[in-house]
Amino acid sequence: MHNVAINGLRARYDSATVELDPPFALVDLEAFRSNAQELLRRANDRPIRVASKSVRCRDLLSQVLAMPGFAGVMAYSLSEALWLFETELTDDILVGYPTADRGALRALAKDDAARAAITIMVDDVAQLDLVTDALGAGHPDIRVCIELDASWRPLAGLKQDWLHVGVRRSPVHTPLDAARLAREVLRRPGFSLIGVMAYEAQIAGLGDAPRGKPVRAAAVRMMQRRSFAELAERRAAAVAAIRALAPLEFVNGGGTGSLERTSTEDAVTELAAGSGLLAPTLFDTYQAFRLRPAALFALPVVRRPASGVATVFGGGYLASGPVGSDRLPTPYLPQGLRLTGTEAAGEVQTPLLGAVADELTVGDRVWFRHAKAGELAERFAQFHLLDSGGLTTVPTYRGERRCFG
Ligand SMILES: Cc1ncc(COP(=O)(O)O)c(C=O)c1O
């Protein structure tokens, strides 16, 4: 976006929030909706399940679910799924990660309607054992999804998996592994095999156009091409092997960074995405799409230690993942500010460098972007939503006193 448009945005955000005292978080709903449309455009008519961990605000989740093309939620914890169901957000919830929460399992088992709405994730018989141990033999039917490992093992033929490209999630890698676990689920009373999921983090969650790093970009693209080709074949074979044993309601795959690719696979019936709605900075580095920054936070200038420096209150909202500068928040508006190498984003204050700092006075605000999408909601109890009609304010999960880990 060129400078005039960026400056226009700053003026718009400043004037819409003039009554608010920073720190606060803002969601630009026009950008949010435009990002949702961009996700749908890349999804080739596959429904998108909304990854709630990347939103963590019930109001925003329900706005997305009201848009045709989005269907169901991918929750990140079983307690969260139970809460989302209880509060009538949706009756189609896949918990995208295995659970060891015995209390939540007992709550699920007690509630027939919740059991019909919520599907848990397994990739190991140990998780099935835990469910039965928590609920006792003869427990009511629990809907189960098998997670297939989507990582790439270029040397798998050598029976070595030390060259592992991707995240460490499921041990179920081959179609044979998948069929074996499916048989085990089907053999045990109290479980229904409903779906399969495989999340290709090394494609969906890794930008292929890192700025100023052409060699890395070329390497990432090559890895992603090869990994995708390998996965498409393996996923199809694993899904076919499971479908030969049980009918499936869905096969979920992909994430914000991979929609156009994952949606070309016949075996995949639905996609998942969340981050792309809010467009945090980690999603700025993909060749295939451009999103509009939709989630911002404003911090107040509280000191001017020297010429070319403005210090704002707060700011140390680091994103999870491997430690690196890409996990830091980014000063966004006004343009031209940067973090310092010695303090970066501090616990209670953050100095910012740049000539434009001299135009800032105590009480002015600086707009920032978070590196990840959902984690911003763990920092702020409210999101102020900006639309053409003005501002509305809604609670985040934190604002509803919900913290799922
Ligand atoms: C299972 C699963 N699917 C999909 C996603 C994609 O989410 P997002 O679009 O927020 O990157 C994730 C993110 O980690 C995930 O764990």
Side-chain angles (χ1 to χ4, degrees), residues 15-16 20 37 40 110 118 163 200 224-225 228 264 279 304 306 320 323 329 399:
S15 74
L20 299 176
Q37 292 309 318
L40 291 172
K110 270 196 216 123
I118 296 172
L163 190 51
E200 54 274 52
Q224 291 182 336
R225 254 194 323 273
F228 177 71
T264 61
R304 292 289 324 280
S320 58
V323 173

Side-chain angles (χ1 to χ4, degrees), residues 118-138:
I118 296 172
T119 303
I120 66 167
M121 191 63 62
V122 300
D123 58 33
D124 193 321
V125 291
Q127 295 141 357
L128 299 171
D129 290 343
L130 188 141
V131 172
T132 303
D133 187 52
L135 303 184

Side-chain angles (χ1 to χ4, degrees), residues 151-165 173-174 226-227 230 234:
S151 69
W152 183 38
R153 298 178 184 173
L155 299 181
L158 301 178
K159 283 231 171 273
Q160 284 173 338
D161 71 353
W162 53 264
L163 190 51
H164 175 108
V165 182
H173 189 75
T174 65
R226 293 194 179 180
S227 169
E230 185 277 335
R234 184 162 52 85

Side-chain angles (χ1 to χ4, degrees), residues 47-52 61 64-65 69-75 89-94 270-271 273:
I48 301 179
R49 190 178 282 281
V50 188
S52 63
L61 288 171
V64 183
L65 289 172
F70 289 92
V73 164
M74 178 180 285
L89 182 81
T90 173
D91 59 3
D92 176 6
I93 307 176
L94 171 64
E270 59 167 52
L271 305 164

Side-chain angles (χ1 to χ4, degrees), residues 199-364:
Y199 171 55
E200 54 274 52
Q202 71 279 15
I203 302 172
L206 184 63
D208 63 349
R211 268 187 218 121
K213 296 182 181 162
V215 176
R216 180 176 161 81
V220 168
R221 274 175 221 151
M222 186 170 76
M223 175 279 287
Q224 291 182 336
R225 254 194 323 273
R226 293 194 179 180
S227 169
F228 177 71
E230 185 277 335
L231 175 61
E233 225 170 87
R234 184 162 52 85
R235 180 153 46 195
V239 169
I242 297 176
R243 280 198 189 278
L245 303 170
L248 295 174
E249 287 181 17
F250 62 82
V251 176
N252 184 285
T256 290
S258 75
L259 298 178
E260 63 285 319
R261 267 189 165 141
T262 313
S263 59
T264 61
E265 287 182 36
D266 289 339
V268 175
T269 65
E270 59 167 52
L271 305 164
S275 299
L277 297 163
L278 293 173
T281 57
L282 282 172
F283 286 85
D284 286 349
T285 57
Y286 290 76
Q287 237 187 356
F289 57 90
R290 282 279 159 277
L291 298 164
R292 287 168 58 179
L296 310 175
F297 58 94
L299 302 179
V301 174
V302 286
R303 330 179 199 244
R304 292 289 324 280
S307 141
V309 191
T311 298
V312 293
F313 177 77
Y317 317 146
L318 274 66
S320 58
V323 173
S325 58
D326 63 347
R327 305 283 144 169
L328 289 166
T330 303
Y332 175 48
L333 301 169
Q335 296 254 283
L337 292 169
R338 63 184 190 282
L339 303 175
T340 75
T342 47
E343 293 181 63
E347 185 177 0
V348 272
Q349 65 160 40
T350 298
L352 299 168
L353 306 179
V356 72
D358 291 336
E359 293 167 25
L360 296 171
T361 53
V362 168
D364 283 348

